[in-house]
Amino acid sequence: MCLDEPCAEEERARSKSMEDYECLDVDYSRAVPLEPFIHQVGGHSSMMRFDEHTVCKPMISREHHFYLSLPKNLRKFSPEYRGVIQVSFQEDKDGFIRLVAHPCETNHSGGHSESDSSPAGSAEEDNASSASSVHRTKRRRRRKEKETGINTHEITHRVRLLRTGSIEVQSNGTGPFLVDLVENKEEAESLKGLGHNPWSLRCHKKQLAEMRKTAPNSKLHKFILLENVTSQFVYPCILDLKMGTRQHGDDATEEKRNRQMEKCASTTSASIGVRVCGMQVYKAETGHFLCRNKYYGRKLTEDGFKHTLQQFLDNGQDMVAPKIIAQLQELKSILEKHQTYRFYSSSLLIIYEGNDCWGGANRVENGDLCASHRAAGVAVKMIDFAHSTYKGFRGDRTVHQGPDKGYIFGLENLLRVFHEIVEERGMVEEQDT
């Protein structure tokens, strides 16, 4: 009996069916223009907004397989997998480049039986999800606007890349991403006020440049659809943490392995098993986001790491810390039970609502809206599984024993720091009273 751990036979059947994944017929009539996901705070590949509740990213076969085989008790701690789409690379007469998504009919030869169907659903369900997502968007948007009183598309953005490599953002409003701390100060200035987290635009520019090189040989690119885990928040405060004491996968080249080991050794990854890879915190008093990127995180000491977590919580939102701690403890308990799993180079997202409703420059008078913000609570999600593995996964030869101690070590230290912050703030409040 397999329970939550995939059986080797089931995994071989699933992998065989996924090898036969094929887009049979691209539906060009339902093209969806893709825009950079404005709340991307870390990562390498550009995350794209497919619709209000769905994002997409370039498909990596290994990560795709891993999403399909996630154990049931880990699915609540990861974005919902929603299928595969084809993305075309388009260049207009003015030399601007953009991406367009196309739902497609798919084929998995051999089919699925009850025993070998993936936990995330069948191929037919994946296709239905991507195809119907376009039609669900308007209904969801209208419902959300009715519940909150906010026009979720009051401010719209269009991002295009020119042949010269420069980014153009067309917007009918100004976004709140006005504060950014990056190594390149000139880049920070050039990206101010564009309505996107600067890291999002950096990744998007790089992604388009890479796809442009391959466009003559590959007109269509496969992307996977994932739940937009920020869609329940209006001003999402996001912390992207690289987890574990090891970042390279088992298949890494010697050069990459040495590079990743050196990076871990010189950062908090080695000392506490976790490092900051990106962050944005909404500051109600200014109406802007404070943004940090991975280069900032690599320079942090253990004390600096703790200070950054204090900054992350320093938004009049002390009430979210206990919720974060509770979810981290639950995740730790689950991972301790999963034998042979390794989540090398994966990240952990922690998200909460940054609008305090009651004060600051963007004070909201609508009591119902404030209640809906508070109800949004906290989201803790594992992402980026391109280097993850477990016994029997895709025939991997290296089998690790026991749970992922490096990842769990990072969770233990993360919990310790959050507990310290809560206790210290509690002591200050007692002294003030």
Side-chain angles (χ1 to χ4, degrees):
M1 184 175 294
C2 296
L3 298 178
D4 282 330
E5 306 290 341
C7 294
E9 291 183 1
E10 290 186 6
E11 177 55 35
R12 282 194 294 271
R14 185 180 301 121
S15 296
K16 178 61 171 67
S17 67
M18 287 308 302
E19 287 172 1
D20 296 326
Y21 183 93
E22 182 182 3
C23 181
L24 297 178
D25 185 21
V26 177
D27 187 350
Y28 290 98
S29 66
R30 287 186 288 149
V32 180
L34 298 178
E35 298 295 336
F37 176 52
I38 67 172
H39 296 301
Q40 180 176 357
V41 302
H44 300 285
S45 300
S46 177
M47 297 292 297
M48 308 296 294
R49 180 188 184 279
F50 182 76
D51 63 36
E52 183 181 346
H53 296 270
T54 310
V55 295
C56 59
K57 62 183 292 190
M59 188 176 84
I60 298 174
S61 179
R62 187 176 190 85
E63 181 176 39
H64 184 211
H65 279 69
F66 201 86
Y67 268 111
L68 288 171
S69 62
L70 268 174
K72 292 180 181 179
N73 58 7
L74 279 181
R75 284 181 229 160
K76 67 175 292 185
F77 287 106
S78 67
E80 180 184 77
Y81 167 78
R82 296 181 173 175
V84 178
I85 55 172
Q86 295 282 353
V87 174
S88 64
F89 171 97
Q90 298 181 357
E91 184 171 350
D92 64 23
K93 62 180 181 180
D94 297 320
F96 285 101
I97 301 165
R98 64 193 318 164
L99 302 180
V100 177
H102 312 278
C104 65
E105 297 297 329
T106 58
N107 173 54
H108 282 257
S109 64
H112 290 278
S113 66
E114 185 176 351
S115 63
D116 67 14
S117 60
S118 71
S122 66
E124 290 77 10
E125 289 171 337
D126 295 341
N127 179 59
S129 175
S130 62
S132 63
S133 181
V134 180
H135 302 286
R136 290 196 304 265
T137 301
K138 291 184 179 180
R139 293 196 299 272
R140 286 171 169 169
R141 186 184 306 155
R142 285 194 295 267
R143 184 168 61 250
K144 184 173 182 179
E145 290 171 359
K146 184 177 180 180
E147 292 173 351
T148 65
I150 290 180
N151 181 350
T152 56
H153 281 247
E154 183 177 356
I155 296 178
T156 59
H157 307 279
R158 294 291 180 267
V159 181
R160 303 190 298 180
L161 179 70
L162 193 56
R163 285 193 187 100
T164 59
S166 62
I167 285 260
E168 177 189 87
V169 178
Q170 300 172 330
S171 174
N172 68 344
T174 301
F177 298 93
L178 301 181
V179 181
D180 180 53
L181 298 178
V182 295
E183 285 189 330
N184 189 332
K185 299 300 181 182
E186 293 182 1
E187 179 183 27
E189 289 297 321
S190 68
L191 296 176
K192 280 186 177 182
L194 296 185
H196 291 67
N197 187 299
W199 192 257
S200 168
L201 294 181
R202 176 187 286 198
C203 291
H204 185 59
K205 180 178 179 179
K206 180 180 178 181
Q207 183 74 42
L208 288 182
E210 291 177 353
M211 294 179 70
R212 185 182 181 188
K213 292 179 181 178
T214 62
N217 301 319
S218 179
K219 295 296 183 182
L220 292 173
H221 304 257
K222 291 179 182 177
F223 278 51
I224 59 172
L225 293 166
L226 298 171
E227 171 193 8
N228 174 8
V229 295
T230 71
S231 63
Q232 63 177 307
F233 306 97
V234 180
Y235 294 97
C237 295
I238 307 171
L239 183 64
D240 184 331
L241 300 168
K242 186 73 73 175
M243 300 300 297
T245 54
R246 168 180 160 178
Q247 303 302 325
H248 61 276
D250 292 324
D251 60 345
T253 63
E254 183 177 358
E255 179 184 358
K256 184 172 184 179
R257 181 166 57 250
N258 292 337
R259 188 169 65 249
Q260 293 289 357
M261 290 174 65
E262 181 180 350
K263 190 182 302 179
C264 287
S266 63
T267 65
T268 55
S269 291
S271 57
I272 58 175
V274 55
R275 75 171 183 264
V276 173
C277 276
M279 183 180 78
Q280 68 178 41
V281 181
Y282 184 68
K283 299 295 183 180
E285 65 273 15
T286 64
H288 300 155
F289 279 98
L290 168 69
C291 302
R292 309 283 197 184
N293 63 31
K294 67 179 183 181
Y295 300 111
Y296 167 86
R298 289 179 186 175
K299 297 177 180 179
L300 293 177
T301 62
E302 290 186 41
D303 288 340
F305 178 84
K306 180 177 179 178
H307 176 69
T308 301
L309 262 59
Q310 290 172 325
Q311 280 189 319
F312 178 65
L313 295 175
D314 189 19
N315 192 37
Q317 297 287 336
D318 290 347
M319 57 187 292
V320 306
K323 296 180 180 179
I324 293 173
I325 289 172
Q327 290 198 39
L328 291 176
Q329 287 175 332
E330 182 181 358
L331 176 59
K332 176 176 173 289
S333 177
I334 291 173
L335 291 181
E336 287 173 339
K337 299 174 183 177
H338 283 293
Q339 305 295 307
T340 77
Y341 274 75
R342 295 296 181 271
F343 301 93
Y344 298 134
S345 197
S346 70
S347 289
L348 188 69
L349 295 182
I350 302 177
I351 312 168
Y352 72 91
E353 175 56 53
N355 190 337
D356 65 5
C357 294
W358 303 112
N362 290 323
R363 183 169 182 259
V364 180
E365 302 291 347
N366 186 329
D368 292 335
L369 178 57
C370 292
S372 69
H373 285 184
R374 289 195 296 273
V378 168
V380 174
K381 302 290 183 179
M382 300 175 69
I383 60 170
D384 298 338
F385 300 118
H387 302 288
S388 296
T389 185
Y390 56 81
K391 183 179 180 180
F393 181 62
R394 305 193 74 190
D396 287 354
R397 295 182 179 180
T398 302
V399 177
H400 302 274
Q401 300 302 318
D404 191 336
K405 293 182 180 180
Y407 198 111
I408 293 171
F409 177 64
L411 284 177
E412 290 173 343
N413 282 296
L414 188 57
L415 280 163
R416 173 181 56 79
V417 175
F418 272 122
H419 276 298
E420 289 176 359
I421 293 172
V422 169
E423 291 173 3
E424 290 168 4
R425 290 187 175 187
M427 290 173 63
V428 171
E429 290 173 358
E430 290 177 1
Q431 291 173 0
D432 290 342
T433 57

